[in-house]
Amino acid sequence: MSGTLALTEQLIARASVTPDDQDCQQLLIERLQAIGFTCETIEAHGVTNLWAVKRGRTGAGGKLLAFAGHTDVVPTGPLEQWSSPPFVPTHRDGKLYGRGAADMKTSIAGFVVATEEFVAAHPDHRGSIAFLITSDEEGPATYGTVKVVEALQARGETLDYCIVGEPTSDATLGDVVKNGRRGSMSGKLTVKGVQGHIAYPHLAKNPIHLLAPALTELVAEHWDAGNEYFPPTTWQVSNLHSGTGASNIIPGRAELTFNFRFSTASTVEGLQQRVHAILDRHGLDYELDWTVSGLPFLTPRGELSNALVSAIGEETGVSAELSTTGGTSDGRFIARICKQVVEFGPPNGSIHKIDEHIELAFVEPLKNIYRRVLEALIA
C-alpha cells in the first residue's frame, strides 16, 4: 500500500462529521512536525483549525505556497444504504469507498505525502510551505478558514500561492481546475398587504397580486453578461410563501426567498440597488433582508495555474480546463490574503452521496501532481 493511500484510509477511519475533527488534524500535525513544520491549532466553538508553516532557506527570497482543505465530512445518510460502513475504508472494484474519500481526505493525504517527499528531495528548499486545514467547511463555515485568515491578516501575513484540495475533476483526474468561484447572495423579501375576506377584495390588498409584476420583471432581468472566466449572473427564487392555508382568506403578506450567483462582472451593491429599484418602481410596501455568504474570487492565468496545469499534463496526459462553475468554497476567504488561489482534486461525481469513493488509480497521481507544483514553484 502506498503512503498516500495508507494516510487516506487513516483519515477516512475517523468519523469527522462536521465540525468534529476526531483528531484528524493531530495526525497531520505529527507528520508535519516530523519534517520541520511549526504547527498552531486555532479552536473556536467546537471547530478545530490548523495553521502549519515550514519556512524556506533564510535569505533565499522564496514565495509561500499553502495547501488548504478540510477534515470535516458531511453526515453519512442512512447507514443501511451504504454497501460498506462509511468509516471503514473499503476496496471494491478498483475503488476506495468511505465518507470523505473524494471530499477531501485523499487530497489532504496527497498534500502531506507530496510535502514529505518534496522536503526529503529538497531539504534546502528556497520557498515556504503552509497548511491551512479546518473542520468547518461542510458546516456553517463561520469559525473555520475565515477565522484563520482573520488571524493571519492581523499579523500582516500573506500567501503567494494556495491550492485548495476540493474535488474539482469531472470525468477523470485532472480535467478541471477551478481558478475562481461565483459569489452567493440571498435575499428574504416580505411584501405587505392587507388581509381580508376573499369575497370582498376591495377591502383587502393581496400581496401576491402586488408582487407578481415585480417578480416577472426580476425573473426577466439581464443582470450581466459574465466575462472571460464567468458565466452570466443568475437570479433564482428558492421559496415563495403566503396565506393561512384557508381558501377564503386574502393573505396579509407574502414572503419570497431568492439567491444570486454572481460573477466579478457585478458587485454586491450594484445588484442590491437594482433589485430595490425594481421593487420601488412597482410601489410595493416591503422589507428586504440581505445575506452575502461569499464574494466571487478569480485567479487569472498565471504562475500557479500554469504550474498546476503543466503538472497535470506531465503526470496524467490530461489537458486541464480552467473553470469557475460550482458552488462556493473556502477559497473565497483565502483570496483575501492570497492573489493566486486555485482548487484541484479528484473527480466529484460521488461526493456527499451514499457510497462515496475514489478510483484507487487516481491516489498516487494526485499526490504526484501536488509534488510537481511544489518543485515548480518553491524548490
Side-chain angles (χ1 to χ4, degrees):
M1 181 182 295
S2 76
T4 314
L5 181 56
L7 180 53
T8 300
E9 294 191 358
Q10 286 181 281
L11 292 169
I12 290 174
R14 300 178 185 226
S16 55
V17 177
T18 189
D20 187 358
D21 176 65
Q22 285 285 305
D23 283 334
C24 287
Q25 291 177 31
Q26 184 57 43
L27 180 60
L28 306 183
I29 288 170
E30 292 168 5
R31 301 280 290 253
L32 294 173
Q33 285 181 333
I35 56 172
F37 276 77
T38 299
C39 298
E40 175 184 0
T41 296
I42 302 172
E43 295 181 313
H45 298 272
V47 174
T48 306
N49 302 301
L50 171 63
W51 172 249
V53 183
K54 186 178 189 301
R55 300 295 178 183
R57 186 170 69 249
T58 302
K63 295 184 177 181
L64 190 154
L65 186 153
F67 291 118
H70 58 90
T71 50
D72 60 323
V73 297
V74 295
T76 62
L79 293 175
E80 66 275 11
Q81 294 184 19
W82 283 74
S83 301
S84 52
F87 298 111
V88 177
T90 304
H91 295 200
R92 189 169 60 252
D93 302 323
K95 301 179 178 67
L96 170 64
Y97 287 83
R99 176 58 88 219
D103 190 14
M104 55 177 288
K105 292 184 173 180
T106 306
S107 295
I108 290 177
F111 289 162
V112 172
V113 177
T115 301
E116 291 172 335
E117 293 179 356
F118 173 79
V119 169
H122 305 276
D124 198 29
H125 53 90
R126 180 171 53 88
S128 300
I129 313 169
F131 280 71
L132 197 171
I133 308 295
T134 184
S135 71
D136 182 33
E137 196 274 346
E138 298 292 6
T142 303
Y143 298 103
T145 297
V146 64
K147 291 301 180 184
V148 181
V149 167
E150 288 172 355
L152 296 176
Q153 283 179 308
R155 302 172 192 174
E157 184 151 10
T158 59
L159 317 177
D160 295 294
Y161 314 112
C162 182
I163 299 176
V164 185
E166 288 293 341
T168 61
S169 299
D170 185 16
T172 190
L173 178 67
D175 57 357
V176 177
V177 170
K178 303 289 187 182
N179 66 320
R181 295 275 188 163
R182 294 175 297 174
S184 177
M185 177 169 62
S186 296
K188 183 176 181 180
L189 172 67
T190 301
V191 177
K192 303 172 186 178
V194 177
Q195 182 174 311
H197 196 295
I198 208 158
Y200 302 98
H202 60 289
L203 300 178
K205 290 174 64 176
N206 193 319
I208 301 174
H209 295 188
L210 296 172
L211 171 61
L215 179 57
T216 298
E217 189 171 341
L218 288 165
V219 170
E221 183 74 5
H222 179 71
W223 302 100
D224 62 43
N227 54 36
E228 178 186 359
Y229 296 99
F230 287 98
T233 290
T234 61
W235 183 88
Q236 288 289 314
V237 174
S238 56
N239 193 26
L240 175 59
H241 175 76
S242 188
T244 65
S247 62
N248 61 350
I249 298 176
I250 293 172
R253 57 199 290 133
E255 295 178 350
L256 180 81
T257 305
F258 60 83
N259 178 265
F260 278 107
R261 290 303 166 105
F262 62 104
S263 72
T264 53
S266 289
T267 65
V268 167
E269 296 77 12
L271 293 173
Q272 290 181 355
Q273 289 170 4
R274 290 170 66 184
V275 170
H276 282 285
I278 291 172
L279 298 174
D280 293 342
R281 189 159 56 247
H282 288 272
L284 299 179
D285 181 8
Y286 69 92
E287 295 176 355
L288 178 52
D289 296 321
W290 294 97
T291 302
V292 180
S293 56
L295 295 174
F297 74 92
L298 175 67
T299 298
R301 291 176 178 85
E303 292 173 302
L304 180 56
S305 60
N306 290 342
L308 182 54
V309 169
S310 177
I312 291 168
E314 291 167 358
E315 185 65 31
T316 68
V318 173
S319 180
E321 170 195 357
L322 297 183
S323 170
T324 60
T325 58
T328 59
S329 78
D330 277 0
R332 67 190 188 274
F333 304 126
I334 300 168
R336 299 177 188 175
I337 58 171
C338 184
K339 291 184 178 179
Q340 297 190 55
V341 181
V342 298
E343 303 172 22
F344 173 66
N348 54 29
S350 70
I351 63 173
H352 293 205
K353 293 183 178 180
I354 302 294
D355 284 348
E356 180 180 349
H357 61 270
I358 183 175
E359 298 278 349
L360 286 164
F362 292 158
V363 174
E364 280 302 290
L366 178 63
K367 177 265 295 180
N368 291 341
I369 290 166
Y370 295 144
R371 191 193 67 236
R372 286 177 184 272
V373 175
L374 286 169
E375 292 168 344
L377 294 178
I378 68 167

